Amino acid sequence: MRLTAWRDWFGPSTSWEQAVFWALDLETTGLDPTRDHIISAAMVPVRGGTIRVGERWHTYVCPPKGVQSSLDALRVHHIMPRESAGAPSLADVVHGVDRRLREGVLLVHFATLDVAFLREACRRTGQRWIRPPVVDTAALAWRLHQRATWPREPAAEPDLGLADVRAACGLPPHRAHDALADAVATAELFLVLRSRLDLRSLRQLV
């Protein structure tokens, strides 16, 4: 974790509106970060409580020679090999992600998977993982569910998929499993969940 993040953790916390959140989504050849590869990445910032679509960033990633998506993954993201041919290398894409995350907070839906892929991508390219503060919209959705059902025991586990949580929050359907559409969808969901949970500082969100 960066020094500024530690300062925020132990000192007066930054207002959420002062922080810059970079919503990120990755499309991959599978779900195992140790075996599979990133083939598309997208990020969009939230500054001052506003999604800055004009600063969006989306790229395909050229996979290692001979690497292809599994059929299951292909059915999900529909990225054909010709689309990633000639795309930037993983090292260049990791550098692009790193440069943006040095500005603020990583915002993802289901942090466990995306962070694992990013950490592995750093390892493969010899770059250092900067351990940014992470806000997970799936975790925020779970907190909202717990708050809504407390003190009763929830009748069933909620569906925490991005599309499911967006629908539960009254947000419109989006083009799922497209990295840029998912990043923007995550940023929109974040703004709704933060408001409903009334979380006002970065410390409350991380």
Side-chain angles (χ1 to χ4, degrees):
M1 186 178 290
R2 292 172 300 139
L3 179 58
T4 51
W6 283 111
R7 284 175 180 162
D8 190 80
W9 188 258
F10 290 107
S13 184
T14 302
S15 162
W16 82 275
E17 289 179 301
Q18 293 178 306
V20 178
F21 301 84
W22 275 97
L24 172 141
D25 188 73
L26 305 172
E27 299 299 327
T28 63
T29 58
L31 297 176
D32 185 342
T34 64
R35 294 187 309 174
D36 295 312
H37 297 263
I38 298 170
I39 55 172
S40 178
M43 301 179 78
V44 63
V46 178
R47 300 182 190 277
T50 302
I51 301 170
R52 306 287 183 169
V53 178
E55 297 181 53
R56 67 191 180 279
W57 175 66
H58 176 229
T59 182
Y60 292 113
V61 185
C62 188
K65 188 176 181 180
V67 170
Q68 293 185 347
S69 295
S70 66
L71 287 177
D72 286 342
L74 195 58
R75 291 189 187 101
V76 171
H77 56 59
H78 302 290
I79 299 174
M80 303 304 291
R82 64 177 180 274
E83 295 178 274
S84 53
S89 68
L90 179 63
D92 288 341
V93 173
V94 169
H95 179 71
V97 171
D98 178 276
R99 180 165 58 82
R100 289 166 174 81
L101 291 184
R102 287 181 184 277
E103 188 183 19
V105 180
L106 172 60
L107 175 62
V108 287
H109 193 80
F110 280 128
T112 302
L113 189 60
D114 283 321
V115 170
F117 267 98
L118 289 175
R119 291 173 65 96
E120 177 62 17
C122 286
R123 188 194 68 77
R124 289 175 182 173
T125 59
Q127 299 182 54
R128 187 173 65 87
W129 172 240
I130 62 170
R131 301 179 65 192
V134 179
V135 173
D136 186 341
T137 46
L140 294 181
W142 175 248
R143 288 165 66 177
L144 184 63
H145 175 74
Q146 287 185 308
R147 181 179 294 185
T149 55
W150 190 88
R152 296 173 285 111
E153 286 291 328
E157 296 286 327
D159 292 323
L160 292 178
L162 179 57
D164 297 317
V165 179
R166 282 177 57 89
C169 289
L171 289 168
H174 74 289
R175 183 183 175 188
H177 304 300
D178 172 273
L180 180 56
D182 279 346
V184 174
T186 299
E188 292 174 338
L189 179 60
F190 164 69
L191 294 178
V192 172
L193 292 172
R194 189 221 61 82
S195 177
R196 293 191 180 182
L197 288 163
D198 193 25
L199 304 176
R200 303 182 181 188
S201 70
L202 181 57
R203 183 183 299 162
Q204 291 176 308
L205 287 161
V206 173

